[in-house]
Amino acid sequence: SQTIHQWPATLVQPVGSPLSLECTVEGTSNPNLYWYRQAAGRGLQLLFYSVGIGQISSEVPQNLSASRPQDRQFILSSKKLLLSDSGFYLCAWSEQGLARGYTFGSGTRLTVV
Amino acid sequence: AQTVTQSQPEMSVQEAETVTLSCTYDTSESNYYLFWYKQPPSRQMILVIRQEAYKQQNATENRFSVNFQKAAKSFSLKISDSQLGDTAMYFCAYRSGGANNLFFGTGTRLTVIP
């Protein structure tokens, strides 16, 4: 069966520090991968998605970037965090060509201080 | 652009009763998919139910069912025999048939009262 792993679960980082959040999927190949952010009391905002290794699409301009170095690995990064980067970050995957909805990871709560 | 609107920020229901959560969406496409996700206090996003726009029959998953009104662009979720474990945020989501992205509404916080 397919599983998605996301870490760390919580993170407190100072303003100006770098960020690296990792997401991996097991049990499938060539998945679509996504990074979402959920601000407090808000819905989910799509940040990045990837349909293959090295292929990244950005939905909103921001202080963050994403990379997909391997088929089932998706990384969210920042060189210098801002206070506004605080939030709950969710990774998700879906099968190519199928609209069965996404499967989400357990999320990372990021607090920038 | 696609938008998803959930007009009920919060709702409550007595245990064992039935509750309906509302969702409307805006699209010019004919081929799309609709979803309801549940986010309990653990923050894990869980798919509750999905509906293909080309299907007239409303989707049902155990105690969860939808009322899909394509012409009105409405997609409500009905929870029957509400249980305490149904307490969560519920998000409606839209996906175009030709795209990869899911667009989410702002959510409805449901509280089941014992």
Side-chain angles (χ1 to χ4, degrees):
Chain A
S1 63
Q2 301 92 353
T3 56
I4 180 169
H5 303 280
Q6 185 180 343
W7 68 93
T10 59
L11 191 60
V12 179
Q13 291 284 96
V15 169
S17 64
L19 173 73
S20 180
L21 302 182
E22 189 162 343
C23 173
T24 60
V25 181
E26 295 178 356
T28 187
S29 59
N30 197 29
N32 290 336
L33 297 171
Y34 311 85
W35 279 110
Y36 278 85
R37 176 168 58 198
Q38 184 179 26
R42 304 281 298 277
L44 279 72
Q45 180 186 37
L46 178 64
L47 301 176
F48 302 94
Y49 70 93
S50 171
V51 299
I53 296 174
Q55 301 179 59
I56 308 295
S57 296
S58 174
E59 289 296 301
V60 291
Q62 58 212 319
N63 184 43
L64 302 169
S65 62
S67 62
R68 185 171 177 173
Q70 300 181 42
D71 181 45
R72 291 169 290 176
Q73 183 185 29
F74 204 25
I75 298 172
L76 183 68
S77 304
S78 174
K79 292 182 179 179
K80 290 185 178 182
L81 284 169
L82 306 172
L83 287 175
S84 59
D85 292 324
S86 293
F88 189 65
Y89 290 83
L90 284 158
C91 180
W93 78 274
S94 68
E95 292 185 55
Q96 294 268 7
L98 296 176
R100 291 179 182 167
Y102 296 2
T103 300
F104 284 85
S106 54
T108 296
R109 182 181 300 279
L110 171 66
T111 304
V112 182
V113 296
Chain B
Q2 294 86 359
T3 57
V4 179
T5 303
Q6 294 179 251
S7 58
Q8 306 153 313
E10 295 187 13
M11 293 191 70
S12 61
V13 62
Q14 292 287 338
E15 193 175 6
E17 296 296 310
T18 296
V19 64
T20 299
L21 309 183
S22 301
C23 173
T24 58
Y25 57 95
D26 184 27
T27 184
S28 58
E29 302 188 8
S30 59
N31 180 29
Y32 54 89
Y33 303 85
L34 297 164
F35 307 85
W36 277 98
Y37 279 86
K38 169 185 177 180
Q39 188 180 40
S42 67
R43 304 298 294 271
Q44 179 79 43
M45 292 288 286
I46 302 166
L47 178 64
V48 175
I49 199 166
R50 65 188 288 265
Q51 174 81 42
E52 295 90 339
Y54 62 86
K55 289 187 177 180
Q56 294 186 345
Q57 185 174 6
N58 290 325
T60 299
E61 288 288 342
N62 301 314
R63 297 184 294 108
F64 299 87
S65 62
V66 298
N67 183 7
F68 175 47
Q69 301 291 326
K70 191 171 184 178
K73 297 180 182 177
S74 171
F75 183 61
S76 60
L77 175 70
K78 185 172 80 172
I79 306 175
S80 304
D81 186 26
S82 297
Q83 300 176 0
L84 297 179
D86 295 333
T87 292
M89 282 287 288
Y90 287 82
F91 292 95
C92 179
Y94 166 99
R95 175 177 177 176
S96 168
N100 293 306
N101 310 347
L102 266 181
F103 293 92
F104 286 84
T106 52
T108 296
R109 184 177 302 278
L110 176 68
T111 302
V112 179
I113 302 168

